[in-house]
Amino acid sequence: MPKKLKVVVKSLYSHEIRKDVSLENLKSLKLEDAWPFIREEIETEIGSSQLVCIPHITEADLYNVTSLFVPNEKPTNGKMFTPLGELKMNINTAKSDPHYVSWLNESDFQDTSFKFPHESVKITLQDESIKNKVRVIMVGFTRTIIPNDKDLVSNIYLDVDKHKELQGKKSVYMITNVLMAKTIEFRVTRGTSSRIFHLGNASPLVFGLDEFMIGDDGKLISKQPVTIKSKFLHWQRLHPSDQLYIAEKDAESEE
């Protein structure tokens, strides 16, 4: 086992973390195989352990502000949650407040007052014993958020008749806060082979959730913040195909 060493380098421009860890289980140079190793570090360094890192960087487009998810009664394609897309695609426009319908269609969620402490963050995980390495460089952080002066409760009706995934559901999970990077460079190394991925277009990295209670007519009747422990909402990190799932209460008590 390599020594567990963490080096942190900070400046006004950049924030760099290097850690010696075991990467023996890094199976390939594929992005989806390397992502689970770096997710927890991103969640800590970018989300300050308050926001959740997206389960799959290759599915980043599912995790935008107002994106909806409903829990499945049993795993579907290995997933315990089904993504429904952004809120504007799931509302009953006839019943919802027209001002909110117009606002959602504009999709202007940019937080212009947000300023991340550093222009860039670089995280490197390395296993010198077998020359495996996973590195990510994130540059240009921005945030999208549902403003405090926008109250979706009582103003938005979901179209439960049109969207069968909503039928019979008492609540829906909605992303209300997303931190993203303008550009992301991802490098995966196994021995003497390496591969570099360049991701752009402001890719989501970490996000926060709210749970909205739904009336029989689709009306959003209340909301409550979601935290990983208090709502038993977890992100499975045990396998490259990790997905959102709800842990059993007895499993939570064992942690």
Side-chain angles (χ1 to χ4, degrees):
M1 288 289 292
K3 295 180 180 179
K4 292 186 177 180
L5 175 65
K6 179 176 181 179
V7 178
V8 178
V9 180
K10 295 183 179 181
S11 72
L12 292 177
Y13 177 78
S14 64
H15 179 64
E16 181 176 349
I17 302 96
R18 295 191 299 272
K19 293 180 70 174
D20 288 325
V21 299
S22 174
L23 295 176
E24 183 179 356
N25 293 325
L26 180 60
K27 298 178 180 179
S28 75
L29 297 177
K30 294 180 180 179
L31 184 57
E32 54 266 33
D33 285 340
W35 183 251
F37 291 95
I38 206 80
R39 277 180 57 206
E40 189 168 354
E41 296 300 323
I42 292 176
E43 194 167 287
T44 300
E45 301 297 336
I46 305 299
S48 300
S49 299
Q50 302 298 313
L51 301 176
V52 181
C53 187
I54 63 174
H56 288 278
I57 189 63
T58 52
E59 295 180 349
D61 58 332
L62 297 178
Y63 303 94
N64 295 308
V65 164
T66 77
S67 290
L68 301 180
F69 297 83
V70 292
N72 301 326
E73 294 182 0
K74 58 182 180 179
T76 303
N77 296 324
K79 301 180 181 182
M80 283 302 294
F81 274 67
T82 296
L84 303 182
E86 295 180 25
L87 178 60
K88 65 182 180 181
M89 306 299 295
N90 293 275
I91 63 174
N92 185 320
T93 55
K95 291 183 177 181
S96 299
D97 185 306
H99 297 291
Y100 277 78
V101 173
S102 177
W103 169 69
L104 288 172
N105 285 330
E106 292 173 0
S107 299
D108 185 14
F109 306 116
Q110 194 72 36
D111 183 358
T112 56
S113 64
F114 174 77
K115 185 173 178 59
F116 196 72
H118 308 284
E119 177 64 22
S120 69
V121 174
K122 178 180 178 180
I123 301 173
T124 303
L125 303 181
Q126 57 190 17
D127 189 336
E128 288 294 339
S129 64
I130 53 177
K131 304 301 180 183
N132 285 0
K133 183 182 295 185
V134 178
R135 186 189 72 189
V136 61
I137 302 175
M138 299 157 284
V139 181
F141 296 94
T142 58
R143 183 171 72 172
T144 53
I145 193 170
I146 295 180
N148 291 330
D149 62 350
K150 298 297 183 183
D151 188 2
L152 301 179
V153 172
S154 299
N155 289 307
I156 291 295
Y157 287 75
L158 299 179
D159 196 337
V160 293
D161 293 327
K162 181 179 179 181
H163 300 281
K164 63 179 182 179
E165 296 88 350
L166 291 169
Q167 295 173 5
K169 299 294 184 182
K170 299 299 182 182
S171 69
V172 64
Y173 293 93
M174 185 188 304
I175 294 178
T176 54
N177 180 10
V178 178
L179 187 61
M180 56 191 70
K182 184 177 181 180
T183 60
I184 302 172
E185 179 185 294
F186 208 91
R187 185 185 185 103
V188 185
T189 301
R190 293 183 76 242
T192 58
S193 301
S194 64
R195 189 175 181 184
I196 298 177
F197 303 87
H198 292 280
L199 308 174
N201 300 322
S203 176
L205 287 169
V206 293
F207 62 89
L209 289 165
D210 282 329
E211 182 180 12
F212 286 81
M213 304 300 118
I214 309 172
D216 293 337
D217 56 356
K219 184 179 182 179
L220 301 185
I221 55 178
S222 67
K223 78 167 183 177
Q224 54 183 314
V226 173
T227 57
I228 293 177
K229 285 190 175 182
S230 67
K231 300 301 296 183
F232 303 104
L233 190 65
H234 291 248
W235 307 94
Q236 189 176 0
R237 297 192 182 97
L238 303 179
H239 189 272
S241 63
D242 56 347
Q243 295 289 349
L244 187 60
Y245 78 107
I246 296 180
E248 298 294 337
K249 290 187 178 182
D250 56 353
E252 175 74 14
S253 62
E254 294 175 359
E255 293 184 355

